[in-house]
Amino acid sequence: MAGERGDVDKAHKSGGNSIRQQTRNLLTARPLMKNLIFARTALKVIAISAILFAAPLLWLDLVQDTLHPMGSLPPHYILNEYFLAYALTIASIAIVPFLRTTSIRIALTFLILAAVAFDQAVLFLSGSHVNQELVNLLWQVRDNTSDGLSFLPTVFWHILWLLPVGFIFCLRPGRWSLPLSFALVPAGAFVVTFHNVQIGDYQKVIQPPVFAIEGQIVKAMRMADPKTRPPNAVGYVGPIAPRIKKILYIVDESVGGTFMSLNNPQFDNTPFLTSLVGKDFFFNFGAASSIANCSTATRLMLRVGLREAMLPDKRKASLKSPNFWLYARRAGYRTYYFDAFRTAFTFHSYMGRAEAAQIDERIPLAKVGDDQFRDHDIAHRLLKLLDKSESQFIFVEKEGAHYPHTGWVLPQGFSYNPVGVDAYSDPLGLNSAQKAQVSNYLKEINWQVDDFFKVLRPALDRPDTVVIYTSDHGQNMFAVPSRYFHCNPKNPAITEGEVPLFVSTGDPGIKKDLKATLQEHVDHSSHFEIFPTLLDWMGYDRRFVVARYGLELYGPPPVGVRKFLGQNAFVGKWFGISANPAGRSTRDAMIAPRLANHSDKSPDDHLTKYRP
């Protein structure tokens, strides 16, 4: 019994010692736990600050850009459309890391950081935050997103800092945790921002990117839906007497007007086209100015013919204006559209099903054959199509020479070593990788443009056909240090707005018109003269054409400084292309001067004598 009692006493002593040890351990561990909780909270505060200031500084650049046009808006509009969205967004970023419910905290963290990553990538590449027009542009060119993958490694390192921020956001909060009801704040931020994006005037009010991107994508899809636009109509009453039976209008992709030996003897990449100079059927207008340095803006305006004085198109008149399909059909032409960028049920450059329904025959070729042979396939199809006896208006959007100029696969057996790479690259201090891209770009033009027209040669001097060729925009081949090859909205290279422009025909009347004023137009023409030229060929009354759309390619040459829009047709800024006395764009001024407040007379001022 005594032994048993001794064992019990030892057990009690042992248990007492164990409890005291555990208590002592807890007392010593509590400061450590406090320190860990404090450190976790401090890390969350730092992560929140990083998100808020990375934009940078609470999106103050967006605030600054927005305040000026908001001066004319009513107070309730400013409160609801702008500051409420920003206040809720900033509050949401501060609340989410401290939400007590793990699943909600992680889900909201992912949504916020994904949007911030996208915004920061866009800011890094373009110099501007995500906005509605940029999302519209990305949606319009979504089938070409693979071309932008070359920037992915650079962008990844730029947004890598968001990974630890996301990890910190997802950590369980300490004492200062918030109940699930606080998740209503980010939910409210999303609802308010989504509402503002859908009904607001995004040209005046730029919403915070964190919760706006989803709404901007939805709006871009809605704007691309033809149900949002009423049908176009041709407002012409009068006789129509077509001057030519077949009109073949070809628009290339990313072909710079001064990167062709046709316009620049520094290179040798278009020997076939150069051999046509001096032929009585070939009329080269040199390096013309594009409407914009970005595909979507230019291609839309080429289809509807808005005049320079009407741009930027803040009222979206281009989305309701009659297009060349309607004019062509009204004049008795059967319309054809060769599209190298889209499949049968997708569109681009603000074309939708409503506009596509105005085309008699659409030939989408995005998934047909290999990329390097697609343009040549179009050329062969065109020769067969032109043999039909009908009157035709044919619009072709080629594959062209879009970036990146690194992995483009030229056809097997193709051999061409471009001249002029070093002469162009060395003054700019280009490295070997950049020189290789310049070389590849010249090769692409040789194959995609010069060889294309070799195939199309039988059509170039047909007496019943007129062929007009240009590109949507030019290209910046490292003349200006930039992440853009084109579409630069702030400091574009001159070459982004310089495009080829030539006409080829065997029709005696059109040849006479072109020959009379060609020399005055070389290196002085622009995209704006193409649409009225098409209508003149279709047979519309010249007084109507000039009064509504301006002068043709064979009218008096344009006056004032040639210019192009930076990236956007709706809110873009003008950039000028200066010219020396010989008409050649100045190569010394590699950055085009900003002409948003250009005070020269409008090119329309000298049209009075042509108005009825």
Side-chain angles (χ1 to χ4, degrees):
M1 291 290 295
E4 291 178 1
R5 188 179 297 113
D7 292 339
V8 170
D9 290 340
K10 287 180 181 180
H12 279 299
K13 289 181 181 179
S14 157
N17 290 337
S18 176
I19 293 173
R20 283 192 297 272
Q21 184 62 41
Q22 290 177 13
T23 303
R24 191 179 299 113
N25 291 341
L26 288 173
L27 290 175
T28 56
R30 187 174 298 169
L32 179 61
M33 292 296 294
K34 287 183 178 180
N35 290 337
L36 288 175
I37 293 172
F38 177 80
R40 189 183 305 170
T41 303
L43 286 174
K44 287 181 178 288
V45 171
I46 293 172
I48 292 169
S49 302
I51 293 293
L52 293 178
F53 283 88
L57 297 177
L58 304 176
W59 300 283
L60 287 181
D61 50 348
L62 296 186
V63 176
Q64 182 180 1
D65 289 344
T66 304
L67 284 180
H68 177 68
M70 284 176 61
S72 60
L73 299 177
H76 68 84
Y77 185 88
I78 297 174
L79 177 64
N80 180 52
E81 299 285 324
Y82 186 71
F83 290 109
L84 180 60
Y86 270 80
L88 289 174
T89 297
I90 293 171
S92 300
I93 294 173
I95 286 172
V96 166
F98 295 99
L99 287 175
R100 196 173 299 153
T101 306
T102 301
S103 58
I104 300 298
R105 184 176 67 252
I106 292 175
L108 288 174
T109 295
F110 176 81
L111 290 176
I112 289 175
L113 294 191
V116 171
F118 181 64
D119 179 59
Q120 289 292 291
V122 169
L123 181 65
F124 175 71
L125 292 173
S126 68
S128 60
H129 291 274
V130 174
N131 55 65
Q132 184 64 59
E133 281 304 327
L134 181 60
V135 175
N136 291 346
L137 174 64
L138 293 174
W139 180 256
Q140 293 289 336
V141 299
R142 60 193 180 277
D143 284 4
N144 294 334
T145 52
S146 59
D147 293 338
L149 294 179
S150 59
F151 295 111
L152 191 58
T154 305
V155 170
F156 176 77
W157 290 111
H158 184 74
I159 62 174
L160 186 62
W161 62 274
L162 287 171
L163 290 179
V165 168
F167 176 76
I168 293 169
F169 265 47
C170 291
L171 289 175
R172 176 184 293 181
R175 181 181 303 173
W176 297 285
S177 62
L178 300 172
L180 181 61
S181 58
F182 276 79
L184 293 174
V185 175
F190 176 81
V191 170
V192 170
T193 306
F194 189 90
H195 171 267
N196 292 349
V197 168
Q198 299 308 310
I199 70 169
D201 185 349
Y202 58 82
Q203 292 179 14
K204 294 180 180 178
V205 178
I206 304 175
Q207 300 296 329
V210 173
F211 292 107
I213 291 174
E214 295 85 354
Q216 288 165 342
I217 293 173
V218 171
K219 187 159 189 173
M221 295 169 66
R222 286 178 53 234
M223 291 185 69
D225 190 328
K227 290 183 291 187
T228 64
R229 304 201 303 270
N232 302 326
V234 173
Y236 175 81
V237 178
I240 303 175
R243 300 183 58 189
I244 192 77
K245 190 172 184 178
K246 301 175 187 292
I247 301 172
L248 174 54
Y249 184 10
I250 302 172
V251 176
D252 225 321
E253 169 62 49
S254 301
V255 175
T258 52
F259 287 98
M260 307 167 65
S261 56
L262 175 66
N263 301 318
N264 189 347
Q266 180 181 13
F267 304 117
D268 70 338
N269 57 338
T270 54
F272 172 73
L273 288 175
T274 304
S275 72
L276 299 180
V277 175
K279 304 287 187 183
D280 71 339
F281 60 85
F282 188 79
F283 302 89
N284 180 32
F285 288 81
S289 59
S290 61
I291 292 173
N293 63 350
C294 213
S295 299
T296 299
T298 295
R299 293 174 187 272
L300 170 62
M301 296 306 159
L302 287 175
R303 298 201 308 273
V304 299
L306 255 62
R307 298 167 78 150
E308 182 178 323
M310 299 176 69
L311 299 178
D313 182 21
K314 295 181 179 180
R315 296 183 178 182
K316 303 294 189 297
S318 56
L319 300 181
K320 302 177 183 179
S321 298
N323 51 53
F324 52 37
W325 308 114
L326 291 174
Y327 278 106
R329 295 182 72 178
R330 178 79 174 273
Y333 291 89
R334 180 170 177 81
T335 55
Y336 293 86
Y337 176 33
F338 287 83
D339 182 6
F341 294 101
R342 288 294 186 269
T343 56
F345 302 104
T346 58
F347 308 97
H348 64 93
S349 304
Y350 293 99
M351 179 184 288
R353 288 184 294 274
E355 182 178 347
Q358 299 160 3
I359 306 168
D360 292 311
E361 189 169 341
R362 178 171 174 249
I363 303 98
L365 298 167
K367 304 297 182 183
V368 178
D370 297 327
D371 290 349
Q372 65 268 35
F373 290 110
R374 189 165 298 132
D375 282 354
H376 288 67
D377 178 39
I378 291 174
H380 289 291
R381 290 175 183 238
L382 289 172
L383 292 177
K384 294 180 180 179
L385 181 61
L386 289 170
D387 284 337
K388 291 186 176 183
S389 60
E390 63 194 5
S391 296
Q392 299 169 330
F393 174 76
I394 307 168
F395 183 53
V396 178
E397 292 191 296
K398 290 174 73 266
E399 177 88 7
H402 200 273
Y403 74 85
H405 308 295
T406 51
W408 205 81
V409 181
L410 290 164
Q412 198 170 30
F414 174 85
S415 61
Y416 162 67
N417 293 315
V419 170
V421 175
D422 291 337
Y424 172 83
S425 303
D426 291 344
L428 298 175
L430 304 188
N431 58 40
S432 58
Q434 291 170 325
K435 283 185 178 182
Q437 291 190 65
V438 172
S439 177
N440 289 338
Y441 182 53
L442 297 176
K443 290 178 181 179
E444 291 164 18
I445 292 176
N446 176 260
W447 172 252
Q448 294 285 80
V449 181
D450 202 58
D451 211 78
F452 170 86
F453 281 102
K454 281 183 185 177
V455 177
L456 199 62
R457 171 62 181 86
L460 299 183
D461 59 352
R462 288 178 56 133
D464 64 345
T465 302
V466 60
V467 179
I468 182 168
Y469 168 82
T470 188
S471 181
D472 53 357
H473 52 74
Q475 200 79 318
N476 171 25
M477 294 306 295
F478 314 105
V480 173
S482 171
R483 299 183 185 94
Y484 290 92
F485 284 102
H486 52 263
C487 290
N488 192 325
K490 294 187 176 182
N491 65 325
I494 289 175
T495 53
E496 292 181 46
E498 290 182 315
V499 292
L501 177 59
F502 62 76
V503 177
S504 188
T505 183
D507 178 80
I510 295 178
K511 287 199 296 183
K512 182 180 178 180
D513 286 343
L514 293 169
K515 186 177 180 180
T517 58
L518 177 64
Q519 292 307 313
E520 296 175 288
H521 280 267
V522 173
D523 292 331
H524 285 85
S525 296
S526 76
H527 276 164
F528 292 103
E529 289 93 66
I530 296 178
F531 196 89
T533 301
L534 294 175
L535 297 194
D536 181 71
W537 291 339
M538 291 176 189
Y540 287 88
D541 185 273
R542 187 168 187 268
R543 292 172 299 176
F544 165 82
V545 172
V546 172
R548 177 165 292 192
Y549 295 105
L551 289 169
E552 316 95 325
L553 284 169
Y554 31 80
V559 298
V561 177
R562 295 187 303 148
K563 51 188 179 180
F564 61 91
L565 284 169
Q567 189 183 89
N568 197 297
F570 302 121
V571 294
K573 296 178 180 178
W574 286 111
F575 296 90
I577 301 177
S578 56
N580 61 30
R584 179 65 60 192
S585 299
T586 306
R587 287 289 163 268
D588 295 333
M590 299 311 296
I591 298 180
R594 179 168 296 185
L595 294 177
N597 299 314
H598 184 57
S599 60
D600 283 3
K601 290 184 177 181
S602 166
D604 297 337
D605 292 344
H606 68 312
L607 300 182
T608 306
K609 61 182 179 181
Y610 294 98
R611 292 194 174 101

